[in-house]
Amino acid sequence: MEARVTERVLHFRQPAGTSRGVYTERKSWFIELTDGNRKGIGECAPLPDLSCDASPHYPIILDKVCREFCQKGAIDYEALRPYPSMLFGLETALLNLERGDRLFDTAFSRGEEGIPINGLVWMGRYDEMLSRLEQKLEQGFHCVKLKVGAIDFDEELDLVRRIRERFSFHEVELRLDANGGFPYEEALYKLELLSQYAVHSIEQPIKARQWYYMSELCRESPLPIALDEELIGVNDPEAKAHMLSIVKPRYIVLKPSLHGGIQGCREWIAAAREQGIGSWITSALESNIGLNAIAQFASDVYGDHIRMPQGLGTGQLFVDNIPMPLEIRGDELWRKEV
C-alpha cells in the first residue's frame, strides 16, 4: 500500500467570523491511499489555534504518520490519539479504499434519506447577521444556529428576540454558539436573558479548561449547555468519561477532525450515553471530501431516520470546493448515489 499527501487551500465566499477571529481561507491536506487498482482519499483539516494537533510542522508529522501506516498496514490508534485530524483523514481514506464511495451502509449513504441540518449564521455586523438569518429562514431551515459572543450582546439578544417574534420554538429551533466568548463573571446573567426566548442550547459559553466554572454554569444555567472546544485534547477514554462526570453538560457537539477521528467520537458518544448526555455531529470547515465522510459517519452513529439536526451545512462556504455528490434540499443534506 502507498500513501501520497497533497495540500490544498480553499477560499471562503465571505469571511467566516467567530469569537476567536475571522477565517478567509482554509488549508487542508489530503491522504490518497493506493493498493493495486483501489484508491481511497481522506481529508486532514486542523484548525489553527484550535486543533490540538495544529502545528507549523504538520506536513512533516503527517508524512511520517502515513509512512508508518504503510509499513504496518494498520492504523495505530493509540499513537494517533494526539493527532485527531490526521487520524480522521487516515480512517476515512482507508474506508474509501476498502468500501468505495459508500463508507457505511446506511439509508443516507445509499441516497435514500437526507439528514436534517441546521442553518448557520456567522458572526458579523448586526445588519449582516440579520440579513443572513433572514436568508436561512427563507430557505426553509427549521433549525438555525447563531454564532454569538463577538458583537455587542444587546444586538445579539435583539436578533434572538426578532426570531421569536416571527417564529415560535415549535416552528424554528434556535441554537447558539459562543465559542468561549462570554467572560465567566457575565455568563450566567447572559444565559438567563437568552433563556427567555426558548433557545435549544448554547455551545461553549466560556473558554475551555475551566471545568469548575463550566460545571457550575451547567448546574445553574436555565439554558442547556453543550460542550465543544472543551472536548479538544481530551483523548483518553477514561479522561473523557471523567470530564463529563465533572462538568455534566446537557449535550456534546462532536467534530471528528477535532475530537479523535471516527474512533474517538464513538468513544465520546458511548461515554455521553452512559451519563444521559445527548450529542450531535458537525463538520469543522472541511472541504466536501471531509463533509461527505462526516455525514456518512453521522448516519452510521445515529442510524436511519435521524431527527436531531446535525451541523453539516458548511459545504457551501467555499468558492473552490471539491465536487462531491452532496446537495442541500430544504433543510436536509442528501447524498446522491453515483
Side-chain angles (χ1 to χ4, degrees), residues 117-122 132-133 136-137 139 141-146 173 175 309-311 313 331:
I117 61 175
N118 61 247
L120 180 59
V121 177
W122 288 95
R132 294 167 190 167
L133 171 61
K136 293 300 179 185
L137 296 175
Q139 289 170 352
F141 281 93
H142 295 92
C143 177
V144 178
K145 176 176 169 179
L146 288 178
E173 179 178 290
R175 298 176 180 175
Q310 309 294 299
D331 64 348

Side-chain angles (χ1 to χ4, degrees), residues 33-44:
L33 301 178
T34 56
D35 185 8
N37 294 325
R38 299 187 303 169
K39 290 185 178 181
I41 189 168
E43 181 174 3
C44 306

Side-chain angles (χ1 to χ4, degrees), residues 178-231:
N179 288 123
F182 294 163
Y184 168 71
E185 296 77 12
E186 303 173 8
L188 185 58
Y189 173 68
K190 291 181 175 180
L191 296 180
E192 288 173 346
L193 291 176
L194 289 165
S195 68
Q196 64 186 310
Y197 298 112
V199 173
H200 172 270
S201 59
I202 185 168
E203 295 178 36
Q204 205 68 40
I206 62 174
K207 291 185 184 300
R209 304 296 177 265
Q210 303 182 81
W211 290 5
Y212 174 79
Y213 290 144
M214 186 67 85
S215 66
E216 191 172 74
L217 272 184
C218 288
R219 184 175 65 252
E220 300 293 335
S221 172
L223 191 60
I225 290 176
L227 300 186
D228 180 356
E229 288 92 337
E230 201 72 64
L231 313 180

Side-chain angles (χ1 to χ4, degrees), residues 28-246:
S28 286
W29 287 264
F30 296 90
I31 300 173
E32 185 177 290
L33 301 178
T34 56
D35 185 8
N37 294 325
R38 299 187 303 169
K39 290 185 178 181
I41 189 168
E43 181 174 3
C44 306
L47 283 168
D49 303 319
L50 184 60
S51 298
C52 63
D53 55 356
S55 162
H57 309 294
Y58 191 92
I60 298 172
I61 299 171
L62 181 57
D63 281 333
K64 181 175 181 289
V65 165
C66 290
R67 286 198 306 271
E68 291 177 351
F69 165 76
C70 290
Q71 291 169 1
K72 295 177 181 178
I75 298 175
D76 187 341
Y77 285 97
E78 291 305 312
L80 290 179
R81 284 191 184 276
Y83 306 100
S85 65
M86 298 183 194
L87 175 56
F88 177 64
L90 196 53
E91 285 175 312
T92 52
L94 187 59
L95 282 171
N96 189 206
L97 179 83
E98 295 175 343
R99 303 180 182 179
D101 292 335
R102 192 184 297 172
L103 306 183
F104 300 97
D105 188 19
T106 66
F108 171 78
S109 298
R110 295 191 298 270
E112 298 168 0
E113 288 186 4
I115 297 176
I117 61 175
N118 61 247
L120 180 59
V121 177
W122 288 95
M123 286 179 178
R125 297 192 312 273
Y126 176 83
D127 57 335
E128 290 175 334
M129 293 184 70
L130 182 59
S131 174
R132 294 167 190 167
L133 171 61
E134 296 283 350
Q135 185 180 40
K136 293 300 179 185
L137 296 175
E138 287 172 5
Q139 289 170 352
F141 281 93
H142 295 92
C143 177
V144 178
K145 176 176 169 179
L146 288 178
K147 292 278 188 177
V148 297
I151 65 173
D152 180 77
F153 178 72
D154 289 337
E155 292 187 344
E156 293 174 338
L157 195 63
D158 186 57
L159 278 172
V160 175
R161 179 184 59 79
R162 281 173 177 258
I163 295 173
R164 283 294 169 250
E165 285 178 347
R166 285 184 52 191
F167 301 96
S168 73
F169 69 94
H170 294 294
E171 297 171 297
V172 173
E173 179 178 290
L174 180 59
R175 298 176 180 175
L176 306 177
D177 184 0
N179 288 123
F182 294 163
Y184 168 71
E185 296 77 12
E186 303 173 8
L188 185 58
Y189 173 68
K190 291 181 175 180
L191 296 180
E192 288 173 346
L193 291 176
L194 289 165
S195 68
Q196 64 186 310
Y197 298 112
V199 173
H200 172 270
S201 59
I202 185 168
E203 295 178 36
Q204 205 68 40
I206 62 174
K207 291 185 184 300
R209 304 296 177 265
Q210 303 182 81
W211 290 5
Y212 174 79
Y213 290 144
M214 186 67 85
S215 66
E216 191 172 74
L217 272 184
C218 288
R219 184 175 65 252
E220 300 293 335
S221 172
L223 191 60
I225 290 176
L227 300 186
D228 180 356
E229 288 92 337
E230 201 72 64
L231 313 180
I232 296 171
V234 184
N235 299 316
D236 180 78
E238 291 185 4
K240 294 174 181 179
H242 179 63
M243 188 272 280
L244 293 178
S245 70
I246 291 174

